Amino acid sequence: MGHEAVRQSSAEAHQIGNAAVAFEPPLLNVQGLSIRFDGAPKGVNVVDDVSFSVRKGKTLCIVGESGCGKSVTSLALMGLLPTPPARIVAGSATFDGQDLLTLSERERADLRGDRMAMIFQEPMTSLNPAFTIGDQIAEGIVRHRKVSKGEAMDRALDMLKKVRIPAPEKRLRAYPHEMSGGMRQRVMIAMALANNPELLIADEPTTALDVTIQAQILALIQRLQEETGTAMILITHDLGVVAEVADEVAVMYAGHVVESGPVEAIFEDPQHPYTIGLMGSVPSLGRRQGRLATIRGTVPPAELMPKGCRFTPRCPFSDARCANELPPLGEIRPGHLARCWYAPLEQKRGAAA
Ligand SMILES: Nc1ncnc2c1ncn2[C@@H]1O[C@H](COP(=O)(O)OP(=O)(O)O)[C@@H](O)[C@H]1O
Ligand SMILES: [Mg+2]
């Protein structure tokens, strides 16, 4: 596809996206979220001015190197971030119009595992070794629904069937340690989806698994998401996965969202030098391609974090202004945002090529 054709198809995608947004407010809307840990140098928030939204039934993929604040952001949204040492210092996060950040512990616990659920990288950390799989899934159901233990067990069995666990009746009575990593992650998915959440946050759900199992688990999540219409935030390192499942993408670097927009725009017309770096040689949308490309250098430690754009030390285009002034997350085209003084980047990219 020529450059013009690419540009046109992204523009169409933006229009479609915006039409949907105009009719319906997002299910989750995060604006200017900033989080710092006690003891961190002043002004260096691990999550800083982060904004994104998720529409009903849609998938937002969050990508970025490790340590850039993806998990801290998700935990904050789920009300699972220990405060202290963490502090939410600015911003808002509304779920179906309700401000998540000002909820009481009780209200949060009511949402969690019911309308919002999360699955983690390592399923063993969230399964209790002392209880059977069936008891653990049923407990999550009884906590939020007026059902008997027996009815909850029936639902647990249904869920084990839905996540395609072999011999589900037997597995209901099994303990976590009797299962493989892949089977445990299926159990976690069953638990997370047992109450039909409207939003599922999946934080690198396949990273700890064998490559062959990863694809199966991802296909399972996608199938269940289609069946249930659950919206999802999927945190992943795998750009092939992003191309396959994302509607929207947010790229994070060192606590900032540096670029966000419809998946077509991010792949076909990346605007932030970090996104362009991550893309490396990814050929096109929809084709499976491995992990994020390696960009020279590493994320600076907190003490050395530039005042301005945090990508400055690794950026081929940076100058003194970049180091000193933080660019806003500005709109390049409707729905496509980038935090770079030089976006749109065509000219600089052309010059570098
Ligand atoms: N309990 C904590 N105390 C201090 N710093 C923390 C704590 N937890 C996470 N961090 C820091 O927050 C940053 C973001 O971490 P995280 O959200 O886990 O990154 P990601 O999920 O993107 O890999 C990291 O630099 C990490 O060192
Ligand atoms: Mg993480």
Side-chain angles (χ1 to χ4, degrees), residues 37-38 46-47 64-73 85 203-204 235:
F37 281 100
D38 287 346
V46 292
V47 169
E65 282 162 296
S66 65
C68 69
K70 305 180 298 294
S71 294
V72 168
T73 302
D203 188 357
E204 306 197 35
I235 298 172

Side-chain angles (χ1 to χ4, degrees), residues 238-240 243 266-268 270 275-293:
D238 190 329
L239 285 176
I266 302 295
F267 275 83
E268 292 169 4
T275 313
I276 295 167
L278 288 183
M279 295 290 173
S281 59
V282 171
S284 70
L285 190 62
R287 212 173 303 173
R288 292 299 304 249
Q289 177 84 15
R291 310 214 139 204
L292 304 181

Side-chain angles (χ1 to χ4, degrees), residues 313-337:
R314 299 170 78 183
C315 182
F317 308 122
S318 62
D319 57 23
R321 182 192 193 189
C322 301
N324 291 306
E325 292 174 47
L326 177 63
L329 185 62
E331 196 157 57
I332 308 293
R333 266 174 278 285
H336 185 181
L337 295 88

